[in-house]
């Protein structure tokens, strides 16, 4: 996402049977270009649509005062120039029967970029005291575009 390609990216809903976890890798090569607040304020919101009818805002990333990272207002997780895995679990994800990840980018300039890859939804079920994980993976983000054409690079 950048200022020319911002908007929403909707991933497919995933059926889950146990406690769900959403994870994805994110990086922003030049966080020093981002603005915090005002009419040019930039953000990345992480939403989950639970069971097709309940919206949950998991995090809103904005640039910190020093311009060195985008910081999630709920979890404190960071997006920097180095790709990092962001993880969401618990709360509304605990008893969901389906989970759909939606990312909402509101970015004011084309040199402010956020890259997302390796999206996974994991559900953990416990049967007879043994935990079993099922992973649903969405590896290719370039095929998902924000409102207009994508200039995504690796």
């Amino acid at each position: 996402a950048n200022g020319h390609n911002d908007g929403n990216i909707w991933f497919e809903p995933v059926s889950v049977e146990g406690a769900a976890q959403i994870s994805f890798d994110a990086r922003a090569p030049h966080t020093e270009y981002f603005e915090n607040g005002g009419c040019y304020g930039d953000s990345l919101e992480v939403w989950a649509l639970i069971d097709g009818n309940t919206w949950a805002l998991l995090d809103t990333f904005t640039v910190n005062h020093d311009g060195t990272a985008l910081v999630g207002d709920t979890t404190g997780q960071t997006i920097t120039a180095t790709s990092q895995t962001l993880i969401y679990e618990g709360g509304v994800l605990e008893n969901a029967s389906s989970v759909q990840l939606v990312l909402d980018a509101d970015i004011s300039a084309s040199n402010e970029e956020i890259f997302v890859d390796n999206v996974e939804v994991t559900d953990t079920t416990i049967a007879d005291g043994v935990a079993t994980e099922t992973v649903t993976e969405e590896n290719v983000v370039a095929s998902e575009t924000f409102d207009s054409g994508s200039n995504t690079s690796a």
Side-chain angles (χ1 to χ4, degrees):
N2 65 33
H4 290 293
N5 299 300
D6 61 357
N8 297 319
I9 184 169
W10 293 64
F11 292 89
E12 291 295 320
V14 176
S15 294
V16 292
E17 293 182 19
Q21 178 188 76
I22 297 172
S23 65
F24 59 90
D25 297 339
R27 68 182 173 90
H30 295 284
T31 55
E32 69 273 14
Y33 298 156
F34 286 73
E35 293 87 26
N36 189 340
C39 65
Y40 295 109
D42 304 303
S43 66
L44 176 69
E45 294 179 341
V46 179
W47 289 88
L49 180 57
I50 308 300
D51 300 334
N53 61 19
T54 302
W55 286 100
L57 179 59
L58 303 177
D59 243 340
T60 300
F61 286 88
T62 56
V63 69
N64 64 5
H65 184 346
D66 296 329
T68 57
L70 303 177
V71 180
D73 67 339
T74 302
T75 64
Q77 296 182 93
T78 59
I79 300 173
T80 64
T82 304
S83 184
Q84 300 185 56
T85 301
L86 306 176
I87 298 172
Y88 298 92
E89 58 191 354
V92 296
L93 300 175
E94 278 294 315
N95 297 310
S97 59
S98 73
V99 175
Q100 183 173 12
L101 175 64
V102 179
L103 301 176
D104 178 25
D106 184 9
I107 300 174
S108 61
S110 63
N111 65 348
E112 299 162 343
E113 299 176 309
I114 301 171
F115 298 92
V116 173
D117 201 1
N118 300 320
V119 175
E120 292 184 357
V121 176
T122 305
D123 69 329
T124 303
T125 55
I126 298 176
D128 298 326
V130 178
T132 304
E133 284 190 354
T134 304
V135 177
T136 303
E137 215 171 312
E138 177 70 44
N139 284 316
V140 182
V141 173
S143 68
E144 303 281 351
T145 59
F146 289 81
D147 288 340
S148 59
S150 175
N151 70 344
T152 306
S153 61

